[in-house]
Structures are given as structure tokens and as C-alpha cells.
Amino acid sequence: MTLPVDEIADLLASLGAALARQRSVLEQGQLDQLASLNAELESCYARIADFPGGQPALLARVAGESESRRSSLRTLLLQLDTDNRVNGELIRITMHRVAAIQAFQAAGSDAGTYGPGSRPNVGSRLSRHA
């Protein structure tokens, strides 16, 4: 059984909304909110993967629609692709930012020296906001 085209559009719209929220969270550095968003995104991607025939069949279904409907769905798919790429780049930037913060903390801590009496800075903790 295949999904009606309206359900496919709703699925793509929900994926788009989740990607938009993920981008906002990444731009604001609110990393503690990523776990719930990632679960939502995984659910959307799983629904696409569960489409009978997977992503290729879903794209074929879109291609078989009327010109106006196909055009609007393709526009949505292109936007999803762009949003996904932007979010991937934001994730890479965030990972580099967190690594840099950790390196600065390690270099500035007592444990970062080799002198006598060096001890780890036990109270040091990376913020959840990058």
C-alpha cells in the first residue's frame, strides 16, 4: 500500500519543520536540545525509508503526479536537500567550536603543565552551549 500524495507532502513538510528547528538550535548553540530533534529527524527518515520501495519509489511517485503537484513537491524536496546540507555544515562548525573550547580549557588548566604539583582541574566542565 502506498501513501496518498497528501501524506507524502505532510511527511516532507514535517521533515522540513524538523530541519528548520535543528538549524535554529545549531545557530543559537543550544546543543542540549539536539537529542530530541535528532530523534524526530530519525523518525522522519525512517518513515521515508519505510515507504514501499524506499526513497527511489517515493521520488518516482512524486514524478508521477500532475505538473503543478510535482512542481510543488520538487521545490519542497530541493529545499529539504539544501536545509540538510546547511545543517550538516553547522554541525561540523559546532564540532570544531567544541573541540577548540576543550583545547583551550585543557591548555589553561593545571593538568596542562608538566611542572611539579600539577593536578587536574576537577571543577572544569564544558558548557552545553557552544
Side-chain angles (χ1 to χ4, degrees):
M1 180 177 111
T2 60
L3 291 174
V5 73
D6 289 337
E7 288 186 37
I8 292 171
D10 290 344
L11 169 59
L12 296 178
S14 66
L15 176 58
L19 286 170
R21 284 192 302 278
Q22 182 186 44
R23 182 177 182 168
S24 175
V25 163
L26 289 167
E27 288 173 341
Q28 296 172 13
Q30 299 171 335
L31 304 181
D32 52 335
Q33 295 181 18
L34 281 177
S36 63
L37 279 172
N38 286 341
E40 185 178 346
L41 285 166
E42 285 293 322
S43 172
C44 289
Y45 288 130
R47 287 177 55 203
I48 290 172
D50 290 344
F51 188 83
Q55 179 186 3
L58 187 138
L59 294 174
R61 175 71 190 278
V62 167
E65 289 300 312
S66 68
E67 179 59 36
S68 64
R69 190 67 172 159
R70 180 175 55 235
S71 177
S72 67
L73 289 172
R74 283 191 176 163
T75 300
L76 182 55
L77 286 168
L78 286 172
Q79 185 62 48
L80 291 173
D81 183 54
T82 301
D83 290 347
N84 195 39
R85 289 175 195 242
V86 168
N87 287 0
E89 189 61 31
L90 287 171
I91 289 169
R92 281 186 283 285
I93 290 168
T94 300
M95 289 173 52
H96 288 296
R97 183 182 304 149
V98 169
I101 291 169
Q102 289 174 336
F104 283 125
Q105 283 182 337
S109 73
D110 291 338
T113 64
Y114 293 102
S118 65
R119 60 183 201 272
N121 189 357
V122 181
S124 168
R125 183 173 179 188
L126 183 63
S127 171
R128 298 181 129 203
H129 300 282

